[in-house]
Amino acid sequence: MALRTLSAKSAAALDQELMSTGAFSIDQLMELAGLSVSQAVFKLQPLNKGKRILVACGPGNNGGDGLVAARHLFHYGYQPTIYYPKQSKNELYQRLKKQLEDLKVPFTEDFTAALRQTDHIVDAIFGFSFSGEVREPFPKVISALRDTHLPVLAVDAPSSWNIEDGPPDSGPGKGFMPEALISLTAPKPLVKWFRGRHFIGGRFLSPAMAEKYGLDLPTYEAVDQIVEVEVEGQEKL
Amino acid sequence: MALRTLSAKSAAALDQELMSTGAFSIDQLMELAGLSVSQAVFKLQPLNKGKRILVACGPGNNGGDGLVAARHLFHYGYQPTIYYPKQSKNELYQRLKKQLEDLKVPFTEDFTAALRQTDHIVDAIFGFSFSGEVREPFPKVISALRDTHLPVLAVDAPSSWNIEDGPPDSGPGKGFMPEALISLTAPKPLVKWFRGRHFIGGRFLSPAMAEKYGLDLPTYEAVDQIVEVEVEGQEKL
């Protein structure tokens, strides 16, 4: 089954609808999104295979999901480190940051050094609202993610990929193929080009909203907030 | 090990501290609390043993936890029904209610009738801030919970129990002993009188806060938001 996907424009509209008529707060949605991400890390990186998780956070909602995930990872017994070079002044992100500081989770400004002291990486830099150019200081971060031999889990999109058109054919993200991807709420069109393990999170979508946006509600197990899916018909690069 | 407990006064102070210096929003905390409750129901009432869950919600935060739990239960495949006779005008509760309405989860005003059409009950009527008299319309609800042969999971406290002194010696709650209890963040002193299965939820408490309030951080498994504990030295009634 080829999973139905959600364009960048529809993903933004769905988010907006969840928070208006859907009556969800961004705190709620981000908590559930970050929880999903943490559960995917738990599947990909068992605690006994290395507990150090480097979470690279961008300036927007994707970064916020990363901050929430890092908190849950701490409580599971991991040792997260946060790279968060462009911190939002938004009150929500400031609070998510404070929650990590209270757990004594370290923040680093040196991504290259942090990369040498981790077992796994979460790419929470850019999400479905990304388009255009990768701005400083992220080009060198994305090329490091491209070149590392460590496993990378991308949140919603491999950072620098075009949401509709997939991997860029130039720039630091050219050739960047993370080991795994977690699509939040629904896969974006870029999954057509993705090769790797693919998870879906967002176990809060109502059947009515799924129908309105033409989405499949995946079959989650038990109380899991994520499900791993196989997408047939993925194209080779 | 006898688990250390949190008095009603300390529980209120801890909640306040989480939301001030701790930088959590009530949306976040309630989402995680309700998620814990839903996971306890999943353990107590496997889907193949009956999917109908009656969630009795009180007017305050305990009721809010019940509303969140009901939403997650719907997504797990249960059929929740909500009894919520004293609805708060508070914007958060209104939103939690709307989220359930969007899932077409039914609200009932007839508790007695609903009790005949359910497999399991969640008692989210009163929590750690309860003291004094049980007000209308809850006396008859609590006596029905006391008398039912169906399993009841109480959230934070069996409703009508005194947080410090346990079961009341008169009134509708006299003799009320739910099958199970989930203590949120930490057990309250009433657990000393509780006989039944006991879960703890609240996998967001920092080690520093646990130390400050003299609490044990229970050992959760994997990504579970709850853990079942056995409390030695429970007194017989």
Side-chain angles (χ1 to χ4, degrees), chain B residues 73-200:
Chain B
L73 288 169
F74 172 90
H75 289 295
Y76 302 161
Y78 292 92
Q79 292 159 2
T81 294
I82 315 296
Y83 173 72
Y84 187 29
K86 290 286 179 190
Q87 301 188 5
S88 171
K89 297 248 187 295
N90 178 297
E91 180 247 354
L92 171 58
Y93 302 112
Q94 291 293 318
R95 287 196 286 101
L96 296 176
K97 185 186 164 199
K98 176 67 164 63
Q99 291 162 23
L100 288 166
E101 290 168 346
D102 287 346
L103 297 171
K104 302 186 176 20
V105 168
F107 283 67
T108 180
E109 295 185 0
D110 187 341
F111 189 78
T112 310
L115 208 51
R116 286 194 294 265
Q117 299 175 58
T118 191
D119 301 303
H120 194 102
I121 304 150
V122 175
D123 162 16
I125 301 175
F126 301 126
F128 69 77
S129 58
F130 174 80
S131 68
E133 291 296 303
V134 176
R135 298 223 175 84
E136 291 300 334
F138 295 109
K140 67 176 183 300
V141 174
I142 287 166
S143 55
L145 291 179
R146 178 196 65 208
D147 295 339
T148 182
H149 295 291
L150 294 170
V152 175
L153 167 66
V155 179
D156 230 18
S159 293
S160 80
W161 281 33
N162 184 283
I163 303 306
E164 320 294 332
D165 303 327
D169 51 21
S170 64
K174 183 181 178 188
F176 173 35
M177 182 64 70
E179 186 195 42
L181 170 70
I182 177 166
S183 295
L184 297 174
T185 311
K188 312 304 174 293
L190 56 79
V191 295
K192 190 171 155 189
W193 290 272
F194 182 70
R195 304 189 306 266
R197 294 179 68 176
H198 183 205
F199 298 85
I200 296 185

Side-chain angles (χ1 to χ4, degrees), chain A residues 121-149:
Chain A
I121 304 150
V122 175
D123 162 16
I125 301 175
F126 301 126
F128 70 76
S129 59
F130 173 79
S131 67
E133 291 296 304
V134 177
R135 297 221 176 86
E136 291 299 334
F138 295 109
K140 68 176 183 298
V141 174
I142 287 167
S143 55
L145 292 179
R146 179 196 63 209
D147 295 337
T148 183
H149 295 290

Side-chain angles (χ1 to χ4, degrees), chain A residues 21-28 31-32 35 38-39 42 68 71-72 74-77 92 94-96 98-99 102-104 203-208 220-225, chain B residues 21-28 31-32 35 38-39 42 68 71-72 74-77 92 94-96 98-99 102-104 203-208 220-225:
Chain A
T21 55
F24 283 90
S25 69
I26 190 165
D27 287 57
Q28 264 188 299
E31 192 63 33
L32 293 173
L35 183 68
S38 72
Q39 292 191 356
F42 186 84
V68 172
R71 171 163 40 82
H72 288 290
F74 172 89
H75 289 295
Y76 303 161
L92 170 59
Q94 290 293 319
R95 288 195 286 101
L96 296 176
K98 175 69 162 65
Q99 292 163 22
D102 286 347
L103 297 171
K104 301 186 176 23
R203 200 175 183 178
F204 51 78
L205 198 65
S206 69
Y220 297 90
E221 296 288 325
V223 300
D224 290 355
Q225 296 293 314
Chain B
T21 54
F24 283 89
S25 68
I26 190 165
D27 287 57
Q28 263 187 300
E31 192 63 33
L32 293 173
L35 183 68
S38 71
Q39 292 191 356
F42 186 85
V68 172
R71 171 164 38 83
H72 288 290
F74 172 90
H75 289 295
Y76 302 161
L92 171 58
Q94 291 293 318
R95 287 196 286 101
L96 296 176
K98 176 67 164 63
Q99 291 162 23
D102 287 346
L103 297 171
K104 302 186 176 20
R203 199 174 184 177
F204 52 78
L205 198 64
S206 69
Y220 296 90
E221 296 289 325
V223 299
D224 290 356
Q225 295 294 313

